[in-house]
Amino acid sequence: MPVRLPSRVMNGMKSLTIGVDRIFPTIGTVNPFQAMSQQAPAQLVNLSQLQPFGSADEALEAVLACLRSFVPFRLWMVTRLDDDDWTVVKSLDEGYGARPGKIFSWSGTYCSRMARGEAPMFAEAAQEVDLYRQAPINGEVPLPIGAYIGLPLYKERGELAGTLCALDPLPQPPLSEQQRLLVSTLARSLSTLLMVHARAEEAGRRAERHRYEAETDPLTGLCNRRGWELAVHDQEAATLRMVQNALVMVIDLDDLKMVNDTQGHEAGDELLRRAARVIQQQFRDLDVVARIGGDEFAVLVPGASSRESVKLKDRLRGAMAEARVSASVGSALRLSHDSLNQAVAAADAAMYEDKTARKGGGMPSVSPASAV
């Protein structure tokens, strides 16, 4: 929303022009503070133009656009260094083919020589510098390199992260001290931006790792009960929003206690891991497989129909038998119940009916409410 600046603010801006005049006229552009102070006291300023950038990507693009406006080289780019891969992260390019994602060999670039301190950061006549004239990258780009600017970008611990780089096909007049100061200051600002972005990404990875650890069973690598409950909650929301069915299966191992008592807990742990692998292999990546108790597993299959549910249950039974893992299985469909939690309870009840029937030597019985 436009804001009317008080006259005392406009008068204060006039004092800024003394120092700024030394930079902007030399660069060849208008001093914005001088222009603003010369306009009417009722000057309106659109504060929306001063809002923070929406992303680091937008900020990089704005910095490159600013640099090109003051130092109009044909290519301005920010790069990342990974071993010998020199990758273009963001670019404003006219003819060099340096699109984002393009990878050059670092050892053949001007920037590698600059970063080692062997050649200058500002080479307005690049071919007069022996190390630049002999660099392999001269033969890898479609335009000649007549002028070069390159400054290092650093990680938090002083390691080289990449470079800010500019190229032009023709030799250029020597840059003024003010232009060099502008480029150097923005390069340092980019290093800071990249550091802050890296910290945010690392914080995100730590949070994701903590979330994963909090929701993962360390023995089997499956979801634990917390992860299962969150998945059930999310699926219930999807069911209400999209009227989507879902299959719930509960699996209970029959012999874990006996294996622990007769062969030891290490053998019991191996049985749990083998059962987890067999169960997980029968389902899609988007399905949720969890260990929700000592010898109890659960599966959530979004979008499963009644016919698919029967096939999945039969396939799981066959795979468990082939792997010599004895287990009782119960299942239920969400739309047969008032909530997904009720379907989970029905599948659990069906599992116990299956266990009772199998121990009695009869066929497993399934209640009508939980039949799939």
Side-chain angles (χ1 to χ4, degrees):
M1 177 179 178
V3 175
R4 191 180 303 276
L5 295 178
S7 59
R8 66 178 182 277
V9 175
M10 298 301 299
N11 292 334
M13 285 184 173
K14 293 180 182 179
S15 64
L16 294 176
T17 63
I18 298 174
V20 178
D21 279 340
R22 298 174 182 173
I23 296 179
F24 285 94
T26 308
I27 297 176
T29 188
V30 177
N31 179 342
F33 297 106
Q34 183 69 44
M36 184 181 294
S37 65
Q38 290 174 351
Q39 294 179 14
Q43 170 71 22
L44 296 179
V45 177
N46 189 348
L47 293 185
S48 65
Q49 296 177 349
L50 303 178
Q51 293 298 313
F53 296 108
S55 65
D57 191 64
E58 287 184 15
L60 286 178
E61 189 168 350
V63 168
L64 293 180
C66 177
L67 285 165
R68 172 177 276 183
S69 69
F70 289 118
V71 186
F73 279 33
R74 293 277 291 275
L75 169 65
W76 275 99
M77 63 180 176
V78 173
T79 69
R80 183 182 69 247
L81 180 61
D82 300 297
D83 295 325
D84 194 52
D85 288 344
W86 191 52
T87 305
V88 179
V89 175
K90 178 66 69 174
S91 65
L92 292 180
D93 180 24
E94 294 180 4
Y96 278 99
R99 64 188 182 280
K102 174 74 173 179
I103 299 176
F104 296 93
S105 172
W106 168 250
S107 58
T109 65
Y110 287 20
C111 283
S112 66
R113 290 144 177 80
M114 173 277 299
R116 292 195 298 267
E118 299 171 352
M121 291 185 289
F122 297 93
E124 294 88 340
Q127 297 308 306
E128 295 180 6
V129 180
D130 289 343
L131 285 175
Y132 290 158
R133 186 175 62 253
Q134 299 163 5
I137 198 171
N138 288 307
E140 298 173 8
V141 291
L143 295 178
I145 303 176
Y148 162 78
I149 297 172
L151 289 90
L153 302 177
Y154 291 107
K155 299 178 184 178
E156 193 157 11
R157 287 180 288 275
E159 301 171 359
L160 188 64
T163 62
L164 171 64
C165 176
L167 304 177
D168 197 87
L170 299 175
Q172 297 295 309
L175 270 65
S176 68
E177 288 300 317
Q178 288 81 4
Q179 285 175 305
R180 292 189 177 203
L181 175 62
L182 177 69
V183 174
S184 301
T185 300
L186 288 178
R188 293 177 64 190
S189 299
L190 282 175
S191 286
T192 303
L193 173 65
L194 295 174
M195 287 180 192
V196 171
H197 185 62
R199 288 176 200 161
E201 284 193 330
E202 178 59 27
R205 284 192 292 268
R206 281 199 302 268
E208 179 65 21
R209 186 163 58 249
H210 292 158
R211 186 196 66 78
Y212 175 81
E213 291 171 353
E215 299 173 13
T216 302
D217 172 46
L219 179 64
T220 63
L222 302 178
C223 287
N224 59 15
R225 177 169 284 279
R226 172 180 167 80
W228 169 256
E229 290 173 349
L230 289 172
V232 168
H233 177 272
D234 291 345
Q235 180 58 39
E236 178 67 3
T239 298
L240 296 175
R241 186 172 61 251
M242 303 171 60
V243 195
Q244 183 187 55
N245 211 348
L247 168 67
V248 178
M249 300 180 71
V250 175
I251 304 107
D252 188 85
L253 304 187
D254 294 329
D255 302 326
L256 180 62
K257 185 177 186 306
M258 182 187 69
V259 170
N260 282 333
D261 291 344
T262 60
Q263 301 179 42
H265 286 280
E266 186 173 336
D269 288 348
E270 177 53 35
L271 174 60
L272 286 167
R273 284 191 288 265
R274 185 165 76 253
R277 286 194 299 271
V278 172
I279 297 170
Q280 194 167 34
Q281 288 167 359
Q282 311 313 310
F283 298 94
R284 305 166 298 180
D285 290 342
L286 62 86
D287 301 329
V288 179
V289 181
R291 181 187 175 203
I292 58 174
D295 57 359
E296 194 169 8
F297 297 83
V299 181
L300 178 62
V301 184
S305 66
S306 298
R307 181 174 297 180
E308 289 171 330
S309 298
V310 172
K311 290 181 179 179
L312 286 171
K313 187 175 179 180
D314 289 344
R315 187 171 73 189
L316 177 62
R317 285 187 183 278
M320 298 285 277
E322 186 177 345
R324 303 182 68 179
V325 177
S326 178
S328 303
V329 181
S331 59
L333 283 168
R334 161 64 181 88
L335 293 184
S336 300
H337 302 275
D338 292 335
S339 70
L340 195 52
N341 281 326
Q342 286 190 10
V344 173
D348 193 54
M351 180 274 295
Y352 279 108
E353 290 182 11
D354 182 41
K355 186 179 289 289
T356 299
R358 293 170 68 253
K359 283 183 177 180
M363 294 296 292
S365 61
V366 181
S367 65
S370 60
V372 294

